[in-house]
């Protein structure tokens, strides 16, 4: 009688007395090792060594046996059918994994390698190992270091995939085993099975209606609406131009999505690399009520608004900034981070559909795939950032939010509204000014209530009382026509809102900071392109004229000083003293002295820096005689 129990699913449950003697020994060792527990690692390792000696195998085999027992139970010890049945059994497992590792490695770094090239690598390695016999451990290690050098893993850590495989093959060779693939067919068979497994893609079934998101601090249920808002960024592959038709690049898009309904709660379109400031701006747009003019041509309303309970993001550095933590504390929501990238699939799906359904329909679309990039994308770029923003608003409101949520017959916007007993409370716009960008430099208020920002003058009546005082400027980089002005913080006291100022010389109703900088850059280039050779020549000639006049004046002054002081032509600091030729010429000397004194009275005589000194033997007598 066969001692087995069969169920309807043809699953077999084996009893202990059905196990052969060798399997029974494995069971005994498995029970001994399991009894030590996971905490007593020293005793567990000792039992593994003893089991390996008793069963005549490697300790690693015992470890794998324990993993199989814990995973599959006793059936793992009774299996006699090989997992590689039908394939070449003479090939050892490390060599099989080496074939796959080399294939995977040669598909990276823009390389593509076929199966035959992998066979040549395997053949070269096996030939090199087969040519040497009876090597010592050091010689064998040196040989495998050379092989690692050829394969490119010599500088990698010992725990890398390729180095671990080479270590196992080295242990096999040291023990006398040598079981590499013997022909290209064997290598092809191994790779065919691997490639077929990689091409079998299985869709994730999803979590159903009761969705739970795994965060770094535990699971988070997404019911109801506005409980969990997710934010992420992407770069749109659409070239945009300014008002004058000049190309200014591809903008970045930040999107906030409600996790329960799938509605787009808000977005921000800008040209800066996404940072905590862009996160704050898209969060501000998601919280506020959204009203748009007739030029947006909206058929539906964008009702999604309100402060979320949780803001869920990935673990990028812009989501861990002090600025975002301050906003969370100010508005009263909690920051959470995804435990795994796939937990943000609801936002990634928005970007994927946006690229397929929206970006690719616009002129100037260049695509993310360089090999499949449309030609002449720069030639047909003609959409301004304002036009792109209007089209995005309509796409989100009239298209994305009107789709049914997966698995239901309910629109996303209706699903968002159905989970609210009352409409969410929306804070005042001034409470959300903390989300706006703040200018680092505090400008000083000038006459007539004006301040300077990015080279433009802004004027407002609210600044008339603060002339010669410094203020704080907050702004939205997508529209710098208007700025918000606050008093600056003093002694830990918050700034007070003063009002809104407008650009004095800008006539547009909306202008981004990027467009303003591009306009100034083109103006500077146009100014540099103007021929200013006459201006430069005039500067050089004027400098030459001034230098010549300075030299001429200096020469005249030097000659006059020489004449007055009697300086020699060679040494300006040596004074020539002429000896009086005769005592009887005293009258002529007197006449010459009077003439020189007359000249000195008319001209300013050179005065030596150090005056002559007179020795006085009796200072008191000198004072009485000359006081």
């Amino acid at each position: 009688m066969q001692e087995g129990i069969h169920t309807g699913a043809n699953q077999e449950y084996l009893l202990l007395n059905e196990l052969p003697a060798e399997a029974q020994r494995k069971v005994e060792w498995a029970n001994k090792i399991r009894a030590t527990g996971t905490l007593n690692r020293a005793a567990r390792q000792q039992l593994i060594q003893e089991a390996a000696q008793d069963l005549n195998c490697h300790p690693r085999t015992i470890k794998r046996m324990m993993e199989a027992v814990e995973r599959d139970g006793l059936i793992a010890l009774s299996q006699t059918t090989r997992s590689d049945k039908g394939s070449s059994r003479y090939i050892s497992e490390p060599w099989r994994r080496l074939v796959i590792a080399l294939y995977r490695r040669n598909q990276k770094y823009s390389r593509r390698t076929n199966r035959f090239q992998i066979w040549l690598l395997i053949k070269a390695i096996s030939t090199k190992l087969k040519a040497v016999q009876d090597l010592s451990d050091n010689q064998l290690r040196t040989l495998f270091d050379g092989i690692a050098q050829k394969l490119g893993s010599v500088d990698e850590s010992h725990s890398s995939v390729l180095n671990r495989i080479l270590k196992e093959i080295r242990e096999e060779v040291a023990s006398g085993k040598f079981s590499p693939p013997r022909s290209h067919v064997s290598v092809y068979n191994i790779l065919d099975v691997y490639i077929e497994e990689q091409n079998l893609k299985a869709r994730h079934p999803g979590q159903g209606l009761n969705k739970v998101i795994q965060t770094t601090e535990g699971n988070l249920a997404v019911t109801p609406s506005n409980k969990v808002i997710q934010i992420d960024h992407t770069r749109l592959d659409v070239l945009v131009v300014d008002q004058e038709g000049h190309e200014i690049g591809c903008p970045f898009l930040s999107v906030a999505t409600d996790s329960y309904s799938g509605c787009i709660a808000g977005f921000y379109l800008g040209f800066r690399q996404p940072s905590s400031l862009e996160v704050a701006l898209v969060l501000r747009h998601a919280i506020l009520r959204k009203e748009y003019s007739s030029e947006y041509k909206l058929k539906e309303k964008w009702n999604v608004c309100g402060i979320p309970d949780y803001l869920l993001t990935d673990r990028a550095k812009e989501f861990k900034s002090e600025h975002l933590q301050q906003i969370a504390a100010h508005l009263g929501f909690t920051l959470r981070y995804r435990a795994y990238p796939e937990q943000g699939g609801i936002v990634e799906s928005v970007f994927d559909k946006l690229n397929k359904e929206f970006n690719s329909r616009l002129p100037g679309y260049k695509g993310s795939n360089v090999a499949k990039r449309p030609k002449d994308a720069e030639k047909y770029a003609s959409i301004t950032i304002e036009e792109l923003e209007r089209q995005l608003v309509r796409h989100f409101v009239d298209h994305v939010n009107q789709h049914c949520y997966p698995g239901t017959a309910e629109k996303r916007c209706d699903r968002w509204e159905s989970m609210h007993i009352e409409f969410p409370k929306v804070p005042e716009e001034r409470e959300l000014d903390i989300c706006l960008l703040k200018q680092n430099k505090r400008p000083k208020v000038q006459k007539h209530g004006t301040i300077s920002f990015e080279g433009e003058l802004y004027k407002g009546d609210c600044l008339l009382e603060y002339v010669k005082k410094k203020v704080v400027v907050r702004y939205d980089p997508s529209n710098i026509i208007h700025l918000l002005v606050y008093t600056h913080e003093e002694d830990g006291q918050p700034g007070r809102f003063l009002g809104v100022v407008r650009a004095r010389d800008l006539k547009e109703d909306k202008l981004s900071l990027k467009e303003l900088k591009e306009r100034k850059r083109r103006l500077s280039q146009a100014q540099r392109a103007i021929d200013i050779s006459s201006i430069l020549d005039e500067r050089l000639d004027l400098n030459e004229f001034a230098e010549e006049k300075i030299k001429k004046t200096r020469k005249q002054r030097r000659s006059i000083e020489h004449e007055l002081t009697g300086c020699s032509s060679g040494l300006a600091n040596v004074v020539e003293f002429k000896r009086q030729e005769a005592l009887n010429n005293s009258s002529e000397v007197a006449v010459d002295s009077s003439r020189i004194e007359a000249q000195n009275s008319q001209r300013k005589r050179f005065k030596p820096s150090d005056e002559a000194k007179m020795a006085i033997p009796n200072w008191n007598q000198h004072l009485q005689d000359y006081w």
Side-chain angles (χ1 to χ4, degrees), residues 6-13:
H6 297 270
T7 65
N10 294 327
Q11 183 177 359
E12 186 177 12
Y13 293 88

Side-chain angles (χ1 to χ4, degrees), residues 341-542:
E342 55 267 22
Q343 300 300 313
I346 191 170
V347 184
E348 297 297 337
S349 64
V350 171
F351 294 151
D352 181 63
K353 292 181 179 179
L354 185 70
N355 190 53
K356 295 177 180 177
E357 300 175 355
F358 182 81
N359 297 340
S360 59
R361 307 283 296 172
L362 301 177
Y365 173 72
K366 64 177 186 178
S368 57
N369 192 334
V370 178
K372 300 180 180 179
R373 178 166 294 177
K375 297 181 179 179
D376 300 330
E378 295 80 4
K379 178 180 178 181
Y380 296 103
S382 56
I383 300 177
T384 63
I385 191 68
E386 290 82 7
E387 293 172 340
L388 182 61
E389 188 262 346
R390 287 197 294 267
Q391 295 299 324
L392 276 173
V393 169
R394 183 165 187 193
H395 176 74
F396 289 147
V397 177
D398 291 343
H399 184 82
V400 178
N401 288 355
Q402 302 305 316
H403 272 281
C404 291
Y405 186 81
T408 67
E410 189 178 19
K411 290 184 178 180
R412 298 179 185 231
C413 56
D414 296 337
R415 182 178 172 85
W416 181 85
E417 294 181 357
S418 64
M419 290 301 295
H420 289 291
I421 300 176
E422 59 181 6
F423 201 79
K425 296 181 180 179
V426 180
E428 295 293 333
E429 189 173 358
R430 296 284 72 80
E431 296 182 29
L432 297 175
D433 286 348
I434 190 175
C435 299
L436 296 175
L437 275 68
K438 182 170 67 174
Q439 188 183 18
N440 295 330
K441 183 180 179 181
R442 294 197 297 265
K444 182 181 290 187
V445 181
Q446 305 299 331
K447 289 184 177 180
H448 310 295
T450 59
I451 57 174
S452 177
F453 175 79
E454 294 293 337
E456 296 290 333
L457 287 178
Y458 288 77
K459 186 176 181 181
D461 296 337
C462 59
L463 300 178
L464 293 176
E465 300 179 1
Y466 293 88
V467 176
K468 297 184 179 181
K469 295 182 180 180
K470 292 184 177 181
V471 294
V472 175
V473 171
R474 288 188 176 272
Y475 64 97
D476 183 352
S478 63
N479 186 11
I480 57 165
I481 297 297
H482 296 91
L483 304 178
L484 304 180
V485 183
Y486 282 76
T487 60
H488 68 89
E489 299 86 351
E490 292 182 347
D491 300 329
Q493 298 297 320
R496 183 167 56 87
F497 177 69
L498 298 180
V500 181
V501 295
R502 193 189 192 283
R504 188 189 66 180
D505 302 325
L506 298 178
K507 307 302 180 184
E508 298 89 346
D509 295 330
K510 188 174 183 179
L511 183 69
S512 66
L513 182 60
K514 171 76 172 180
E515 290 180 292
L516 178 63
K517 290 183 177 181
E518 286 291 327
R519 181 182 300 180
K520 291 183 178 295
R521 183 183 64 83
R522 290 193 299 272
L523 178 61
S524 177
Q525 290 179 346
Q527 291 175 347
R528 288 196 297 267
I530 297 176
D531 185 13
I532 58 173
S533 57
S534 60
I535 297 177
L536 302 179
D537 292 341
E538 186 271 340
R539 291 292 92 187
L540 290 175
D541 293 341
L542 179 61

